[in-house]
Amino acid sequence: MFRKVLIANRGEIALRVISACKEMGIRTVAVYSEADRNSLHVKFADEAICIGPPRSAESYLNVPAVISAAEIADVDAIHPGYGLLSENANFAEVCRASNIKFIGPPPEVTRMMGEKSTARQTMKKAKVPILPGSDGIIASEGEALEWAKSVGYPVILKAVAGGGGRGMRICRNAAELPGLYNQASTEAAAAFGNGDLYMEKFIERPRHIEFQVLADEHGNVMSLGERECSIQRRHQKLIEEAPSLQITPKLREELGKTIKKSLENIGYWNAGTIEFLMDEDGKIYFIEMNTRIQVEHCVTEMVTGIDLVKAQLRIAAGEKLNSIVTSPVEIRGHAIECRINAEHPEKFTPSAGKITAFNVPGGNGVRVDTAQYSEGIVPPYYDSMIAKLICHGKDREEAMNRMQRALSQFVVQGIHTTIPLHQKIFADEEFRSGKFDTKFMERFLERQKEA
Ligand code: MV4
């Protein structure tokens, strides 16, 4: 096992990784920006190194600064967390060249999956269901028109380098396609430095369902079941749960097997997530793969009892999956996560500043992952998520009731948070019914306006 690990991240995920390391007897090195001097990840790591000014581009995203810190501290490995450098194949390559183990998949696979149309083709070859769409990049408006005609409108244009909704356009007829093609391409070029597009049949009211996988460096892959992530606003997830009410044990088993085979073929390792859309008929289609640990990994941990971050560390140290997960994966009960953001709950504008009071709920079936504390500062430079509140119950009903109880005991003063918004969602009949799709938040916010 590693002697010493550097955590190239901040906030709750940096603390999450530090916690896993502490329990495994691994020494930890935090890196931090000037704005994070008083952060808990700095306080709880064995060592901490300042790597630059507040802005991420000058600190957490500064590859030479992170690598220098790793060399000075003489670490064996780097855990990138999520976001920041976690899906940067160049960073993983620099780690490899510097003889530092990158805790994640090999850079070749990260690069391939980052190229969304290539990922689509790879999954198609492995018999994972994909949506009707283009075979690779669409080079011109003319080609786009041809594909749209063969696939049938509506279609969606997506950036090959994209993800998270940027460089995407929904197109409903041939007349509007050329304009939307140019908009999407221009937006993608500005955002990702790559304007290449591909195309899929557009699903009007999809559910977003994703499968968690673990894979070791000896060719063994395992599915840990799915998460339902349809409650989102502007491509930011607000609530995630496991399992999904839409996935039968049979479908879970079958998809799990298909996913396992597909990832064995490409030489994937470490933790990963396969994203699917489910249409109104319950058919499920691959859309993209995330080659990192995700924010919402905790709901999978709660229902499987598997510590995913410890698993990541053990996989990266060369252990085999069957020594990490020693009994068959079972889904026990139901878990739901609320992302608590420092935002105005109605305007959704960021709310940075000093937290004057902070009370975290606890008790049976409640988990809070946060790096915030009373008198702490929420800096304006980073993602607005300040805590994750995760509740487990014997079934969805108990998990929801527990969440309502825990939300009522979660006190954050001095800044605005999304806690009041979450309380309203958990009182909403459509949410409680479990029958919703990615358009839920639009409908919900309309209902709130009327009320
Ligand atoms: C789609 C889709 C419908 N059909 N693909 C959004 C983020 C990215 N990961 C994939 N996304 C979507 N892909 C097909 N073929 C619907 C979404 C989607 C969405 C699209 C436009 C505006 C808001 C959206 C919210 C959730 C999902």
Side-chain angles (χ1 to χ4, degrees), residues 83-311:
L84 300 175
L85 297 171
S86 62
E87 293 181 285
N88 183 323
N90 295 334
F91 176 66
E93 270 170 356
V94 176
C95 288
R96 187 188 271 171
S98 311
N99 254 322
I100 300 163
K101 183 75 188 183
F102 175 80
I103 301 168
E108 296 77 16
V109 182
T110 298
R111 190 167 285 124
M112 186 273 286
M113 286 299 181
E115 182 112 358
K116 306 296 173 188
S117 68
T118 312
R120 208 178 110 84
Q121 292 310 108
T122 305
M123 288 310 197
K124 185 182 178 182
K125 273 190 216 124
K127 305 262 180 1
V128 179
I130 61 165
L131 283 153
S134 62
D135 292 327
I137 295 161
I138 299 178
S140 67
E141 292 170 26
E143 221 181 286
L145 284 163
E146 274 175 47
W147 269 111
K149 203 169 176 182
S150 76
V151 168
Y153 291 92
V155 295
I156 183 165
L157 293 160
K158 294 184 175 183
V160 160
R166 267 191 300 179
M168 270 174 36
R169 288 292 184 283
I170 300 155
C171 180
R172 300 196 174 275
N173 55 60
E176 64 179 19
L177 193 143
L180 293 171
Y181 178 94
N182 286 309
Q183 279 177 27
S185 181
T186 305
E187 191 175 306
F192 316 113
N194 176 0
D196 290 345
L197 303 178
Y198 67 108
M199 183 185 283
E200 282 173 354
K201 175 88 186 160
F202 180 66
I203 308 286
E204 294 282 358
R205 279 173 204 83
R207 285 175 169 267
H208 178 137
I209 293 170
E210 57 186 33
F211 275 71
Q212 176 70 53
V213 295
L214 284 176
D216 66 22
E217 301 188 1
H218 311 276
N220 307 299
V221 181
M222 175 181 285
S223 167
L224 301 186
E226 79 288 352
R227 296 184 283 260
E228 158 64 60
C229 305
S230 298
I231 310 292
Q232 45 179 282
R233 188 185 163 275
R234 297 202 180 156
H235 305 294
Q236 292 294 333
K237 293 167 190 160
L238 282 165
I239 297 171
E240 306 98 344
E241 47 187 291
S244 164
L245 299 182
Q246 316 309 312
I247 304 284
T248 60
K250 185 162 169 273
L251 183 53
R252 182 175 302 123
E253 171 93 21
E254 283 172 5
L255 257 179
K257 277 186 189 157
T258 312
I259 289 167
K260 178 175 153 70
K261 260 191 242 157
S262 71
L263 294 186
E264 281 166 359
N265 279 341
I266 60 173
Y268 193 86
W269 66 55
N270 218 280
T273 301
I274 326 264
E275 282 186 23
F276 294 91
L277 293 182
M278 181 180 266
D279 70 12
E280 291 89 335
D281 303 328
K283 286 208 290 284
I284 195 158
Y285 307 94
F286 167 82
I287 51 167
E288 44 190 84
M289 176 162 192
N290 302 314
T291 55
R292 58 167 192 274
I293 191 79
Q294 289 192 271
V295 175
E296 61 270 27
H297 74 276
C298 312
V299 293
T300 300
E301 293 187 324
M302 299 281 269
V303 294
T304 62
I306 296 165
D307 186 315
L308 290 170
V309 177
K310 280 188 188 170

Side-chain angles (χ1 to χ4, degrees), residues 311-328:
Q312 286 192 290
L313 288 155
R314 294 176 65 174
I315 286 165
E319 276 189 53
K320 286 192 174 158
L321 213 45
N322 63 12
S323 75
I324 300 168
V325 182
T326 50
S327 46

Side-chain angles (χ1 to χ4, degrees), residues 1-5 17 20-28 74-79 101 103 217 270 307-320 323-324:
M1 184 41 66
F2 304 121
R3 179 183 45 88
K4 206 176 189 184
V5 170
V17 178
C21 289
K22 272 184 192 281
E23 291 178 18
M24 294 170 78
I26 301 168
R27 288 183 61 79
T28 52
D74 189 25
V75 301
D76 311 310
I78 297 181
H79 195 301
K101 183 75 188 183
I103 301 168
E217 301 188 1
N270 218 280
D307 186 315
L308 290 170
V309 177
K310 280 188 188 170
Q312 286 192 290
L313 288 155
R314 294 176 65 174
I315 286 165
E319 276 189 53
K320 286 192 174 158
S323 75
I324 300 168

